[in-house]
Amino acid sequence: MKRLLGLCLIGYFLCMPCLLPAQDRLPLGSHPPALAFDHFPNRLFAFVWRNWNLIGVEKMASLLDCESWQVRDVAQAMGLQEAKPLYASYQKQLYITLLRRNWHLLPYDQLMEVTGMSENEMEFALKEDDFLFHKFGRLKPKVDRLRYSLPSASEWERAAAIYAAVDAHLTGPLPEDPRFSFIDQLAKTESIGPQMDRTDPDKTGLRFIYSYFGVFGDPLLDPESDPFPDGLLQKLAERGVNGVWLHVVLNQLAPEGEIFPEFGDQSDIRLKNLQKIARRAQKYGISIYLYINEPRAMPARFFASRPEMAGISKQGLTTLCTSNEQVRDWISHSLTHVFEQVPELGGVFTITASENLTNCASHGGREACPRCSKRSYADIIAEVNQVIAEGIHRANPDARVIAWDWGWHGHGPALDVIEKLPTDVALMSVSEWGLPIDRGGISTQVSEYSLSAVGPGPRAITHWAAAKMRGLETVAKVQFNNSWELSALPWLPVMDLVARHAANLAGTRLDGYMLSWTLGSYPSPNLEIARKFSQNPNSTVEQVLDELAWERYGRQAVPLIRESWTAFSEAFREFPYHQQVVYLAPQQYGPSNLLYLKPTGYAASMVGFPYDDLGSWSGPYPEEVLVSQFEKVALGWKKGLNLFQQALRIPGGGTQKAQLAEDLILAKAAYLHFLSVAQQGRFILLRKQWRTNPNPFVYRQLRKLLEMEIHSAVELHALAQADSRIGFEASNQYYYLPQDLLEKVINCEYLLGELVKQAEGKLGEHGGAMGQ
């Protein structure tokens, strides 16, 4: 499922006056009681722990209605070290992380204080920023305002126990790569390095990608939030990338006009900044492409003076009906204006049936529109693409217009739409969708981005063939770095899978590739594979991978590296793939996801909160099968790690040895993520037995799993400290921080103590003996 990118601030919407109090305007959902995190002495200690060095002591004190020294006392009691906030330069990259970690701790008014967001900004972010409220489970936990109160003697004692528990598991100070430092590293240009490969898209095909750290909000109005600094552009160009894409909202770029006077506020500033980025990108042989998902639905009040433009309504929004001539004219001429003002743009790609409500057919509800109900689905979808193409080509006949078939007919066959597309657009399809797969004896098919399944699949092949019959160019949407199977790392070393996919596509005579959605945009060795096949489509998988291993790690390391890549790839093919698994299971969070002896009752949410909802994690897989498959992935990945570590012991040094050591960190982190999902699932299965049929065997296994999770958390903490990329993904920001992995240690140590108490009650004298 494609995700809507960014905090796309619709000026009209944000400028509406606040007519309702915050508690009525901000979504609550079912509003259940918040979780209690009993591994902390109380909610105050949990808040200080989770926000230490993120928002500053003074800000915490103000929020808690206390003095700064009182906050410091709480922090120092748990062993937290005084330091300046590490994230001051990147607050706009942190607000989702802050909201997530405080979602169960604070009410809305205090969440706004923590993030510095206004009520309008909070409301809009939850509704429009990549469906954030949906990611948070479509509910706000009920919690009272948090205020400081003097901890009791027993609470100070528990804080001291936290200090001791964490200290016991940390062997010494660790080298720290401050969070977000990867942005500074990627932003630096390199004077010495490989020759820049300025690929000509007319000769080698389009290769376009997103920014690895695309800033949310309104980057075209905030030039300091540059998603494509020179260093990143240089590194992408060196790996064969010749296009990058940005998410925009057309009513922010369109000029003010008589039809929609609400639109266009500060559009001239945005267009000037867009032109600056586009001109700078051209120095590296890269063109800017805009993501067009239009026309955006608007609140019902928008149509009070223009009811003839209103289409269907859903969840408080109403479409600008594209069967209305004035709406089509606005779309077309707005895009003409954009491409006249920024002629350096390379083009656009469109999505006309996304989760975001746009045209009246975008969600399949055209029957409710008096105009669109008389037209076919294909007519409406094709016409929107035609209107967009006409507007762009009026200004720049050479600009590319790529129509993505995402969501057409519910991701099913859409030959009727392709038949009606204008001939001056290209058709893009997700390569791997529709592939039949069997994992753990469960048959399913790919319906979400996948790295473990090698495309192309039947839907893309059929659609590309239909497009070629009509003379349209064809583009493949792929994920070569990562996918929602594990997006918390910049790239996965499953090179055999990437190379086989690239080799398969090289024989299909495609005209280009979209190399990533918002995830998977790092300038990685995986992109080198795509570059090599674009330069020589007749290459073999063995030739490309041998060459890459030699270039990256040195000749002597090639045999071991190739074996390790194969082991990683074979292990990853055991991933229990399904849309529900990739969105709801805790692989994005790994060991940072907390454990509970009593079921929380909370349902897992899309890449937001996995909780302990093993049933939802599993999708179509029986719970035991899901756990077993993650165990297979971890076991096979461990084999690859052992080979990779052997390569590190080959005599020699230099930059290639340093690169091998750096890449080993990411490979180890991936292993710990997969292993932890298996351990967490096994713990929940045993927890069920413990609650219904307690016995010494289950008790010992539960203890062992808690100890294993502590070990995984400590290991990943060391890796995350050393590499600021670990845990980050652009549209979700940091899934976890090193501090969260230490909280998992606290969580598991607390549960070990509670398990002893339960054993004493359930198993009698045996429980006391086993707790020793």
Side-chain angles (χ1 to χ4, degrees), residues 255-263 302 305-306 308-309 320 324-331 333-334:
E256 297 179 9
E258 294 182 5
I259 298 178
F260 302 124
E262 303 93 336
F263 296 162
F302 179 83
S305 62
R306 46 178 82 94
E308 73 282 358
M309 298 184 189
L320 280 159
N324 179 280
E325 184 178 358
Q326 286 183 299
V327 172
R328 295 197 304 273
D329 185 73
W330 174 80
I331 295 171
H333 284 88
S334 294

Side-chain angles (χ1 to χ4, degrees), residues 345-359:
L345 291 172
V348 305
F349 71 92
T350 72
I351 299 184
T352 42
S354 77
E355 300 96 335
N356 195 49
L357 186 63
T358 53
N359 62 77

Side-chain angles (χ1 to χ4, degrees), residues 137-409:
R138 301 187 64 82
L139 57 84
K140 174 65 181 79
K142 184 185 300 181
V143 61
D144 296 329
R145 184 174 177 86
L146 179 61
R147 290 184 171 86
Y148 176 88
S149 62
L150 183 65
S152 66
S154 62
E155 288 170 339
W156 286 123
E157 288 178 5
R158 288 191 59 193
I162 288 173
Y163 191 158
V166 172
D167 190 57
H169 290 286
L170 296 182
T171 57
L174 296 171
E176 182 177 1
D177 185 25
R179 300 309 88 178
F180 297 115
S181 63
F182 64 81
I183 295 181
D184 296 330
Q185 295 161 9
L186 287 175
K188 294 177 182 177
T189 56
E190 300 172 355
S191 58
I192 299 176
Q195 180 67 33
M196 187 175 298
D197 176 21
R198 300 193 180 195
T199 57
D200 183 345
D202 293 327
K203 295 180 180 179
T204 62
L206 174 65
R207 304 287 190 273
F208 73 118
I209 201 167
Y210 185 61
S211 166
Y212 176 63
F213 50 83
V215 178
F216 292 90
D218 194 357
L220 293 180
L221 201 59
D222 180 10
E224 294 182 0
S225 301
D226 183 2
F228 293 107
D230 284 86
L232 179 59
L233 291 169
Q234 181 190 52
K235 293 173 180 64
L236 290 173
E238 289 171 353
R239 288 157 181 82
V241 171
N242 51 37
V244 293
W245 64 270
L246 281 171
H247 175 269
V248 296
V249 178
L250 189 55
N251 62 41
Q252 291 181 330
L253 297 181
E256 297 179 9
E258 294 182 5
I259 298 178
F260 302 124
E262 303 93 336
F263 296 162
D265 182 43
Q266 301 187 84
S267 64
D268 56 336
I269 298 175
R270 291 187 180 90
L271 290 173
K272 287 179 181 177
N273 288 330
L274 177 59
Q275 186 173 56
K276 290 178 183 177
I277 296 175
R279 287 178 174 175
R280 194 156 42 78
Q282 282 186 334
K283 295 189 303 181
Y284 300 93
I286 290 176
S287 296
I288 301 290
Y289 290 79
L290 304 180
Y291 163 35
I292 300 298
N293 184 210
E294 299 289 344
R296 295 305 175 91
M298 302 299 290
R301 59 184 177 269
F302 179 83
F303 300 94
S305 62
R306 46 178 82 94
E308 73 282 358
M309 298 184 189
I312 67 170
S313 297
K314 184 177 181 180
Q315 296 179 344
L317 295 174
T318 300
T319 63
L320 280 159
C321 179
T322 56
S323 292
N324 179 280
E325 184 178 358
Q326 286 183 299
V327 172
R328 295 197 304 273
D329 185 73
W330 174 80
I331 295 171
S332 177
H333 284 88
S334 294
L335 286 165
T336 299
H337 175 77
V338 170
F339 275 75
E340 285 176 343
Q341 296 299 307
V342 192
E344 298 84 357
L345 291 172
V348 305
F349 71 92
T350 72
I351 299 184
T352 42
S354 77
E355 300 96 335
N356 195 49
L357 186 63
T358 53
N359 62 77
C360 294
S362 61
H363 285 198
R366 72 185 191 283
E367 295 81 6
C369 174
R371 293 166 297 277
C372 294
S373 61
K374 301 173 184 178
R375 307 179 64 199
S376 71
Y377 177 92
D379 279 338
I380 298 169
I381 297 296
E383 182 181 61
V384 175
N385 284 286
Q386 178 181 344
V387 167
I388 290 170
E390 286 174 351
I392 292 169
H393 289 152
R394 188 182 298 120
N396 183 354
D398 296 326
R400 290 174 180 261
V401 177
I402 302 167
W404 193 354
D405 63 10
W406 197 98
W408 291 354
H409 287 304

Side-chain angles (χ1 to χ4, degrees), residues 538-748:
N538 296 319
S539 296
T540 67
V541 169
E542 290 72 22
Q543 289 171 338
V544 167
L545 294 185
D546 284 349
E547 185 178 307
L548 178 63
W550 189 329
E551 292 170 352
R552 194 164 181 87
Y553 305 122
R555 180 183 60 81
Q556 289 182 297
V558 170
L560 286 170
I561 292 298
R562 290 284 285 106
E563 282 189 71
S564 71
W565 285 347
T566 298
F568 292 142
S569 298
E570 290 177 351
F572 202 45
R573 285 179 61 83
E574 295 290 347
F575 188 97
Y577 181 89
H578 186 264
Q579 182 173 325
Q580 198 165 330
V581 177
V582 298
Y583 276 145
L584 300 180
Q587 67 271 8
Q588 320 301 346
Y589 295 86
S592 72
N593 192 44
L594 300 175
L595 293 174
Y596 306 86
L597 284 178
K598 180 180 178 181
T600 65
Y602 270 84
S605 64
M606 184 186 72
V607 296
F609 293 103
Y611 296 115
D612 54 348
D613 186 12
L614 179 59
S616 294
W617 300 355
S618 301
Y621 297 91
E623 293 177 355
E624 173 62 39
V625 172
L626 179 92
V627 174
S628 296
Q629 286 303 116
F630 271 106
E631 289 171 342
K632 289 179 183 177
V633 175
L635 184 63
W637 204 274
K638 181 66 173 176
K639 177 183 176 182
L641 275 182
N642 291 337
L643 291 163
F644 214 88
Q645 288 170 321
Q646 289 180 43
L648 191 60
R649 292 194 288 269
I650 294 174
T655 57
Q656 290 178 320
K657 180 63 71 71
Q659 186 67 73
L660 202 157
E662 179 181 306
D663 292 351
L664 179 60
I665 290 175
L666 295 180
K668 284 182 177 179
Y671 166 71
L672 292 169
H673 277 251
F674 298 135
L675 177 65
S676 181
V677 177
Q679 291 170 173
Q680 292 177 53
R682 187 65 66 192
F683 178 89
I684 294 168
L685 287 174
L686 287 166
R687 183 182 70 180
K688 293 179 182 178
Q689 296 183 42
W690 178 246
R691 291 175 61 81
T692 58
N693 182 29
N695 61 71
F697 173 79
V698 173
Y699 171 83
R700 287 192 294 270
Q701 292 303 306
L702 285 172
R703 286 188 61 88
K704 181 179 179 181
L705 284 165
L706 288 171
E707 290 165 354
M708 291 170 66
E709 274 293 272
I710 289 174
H711 179 75
S712 296
V714 171
E715 289 286 303
L716 185 56
H717 175 262
L719 299 176
Q721 282 280 99
D723 193 328
S724 64
R725 298 171 298 177
I726 293 176
F728 179 84
E729 189 275 321
S731 64
N732 292 283
Q733 300 179 357
Y734 274 108
Y735 289 114
Y736 59 84
L737 300 169
Q739 195 78 347
D740 301 319
L741 295 163
L742 296 182
E743 181 178 341
K744 181 61 172 288
V745 173
I746 300 167
N747 165 241
C748 290

Side-chain angles (χ1 to χ4, degrees), residues 68-88:
S68 298
W69 63 266
Q70 292 173 308
V71 174
R72 289 190 178 91
D73 280 352
V74 170
Q76 290 169 2
M78 294 184 288
L80 296 172
Q81 300 298 312
E82 181 74 44
K84 294 180 180 179
L86 301 175
Y87 314 92

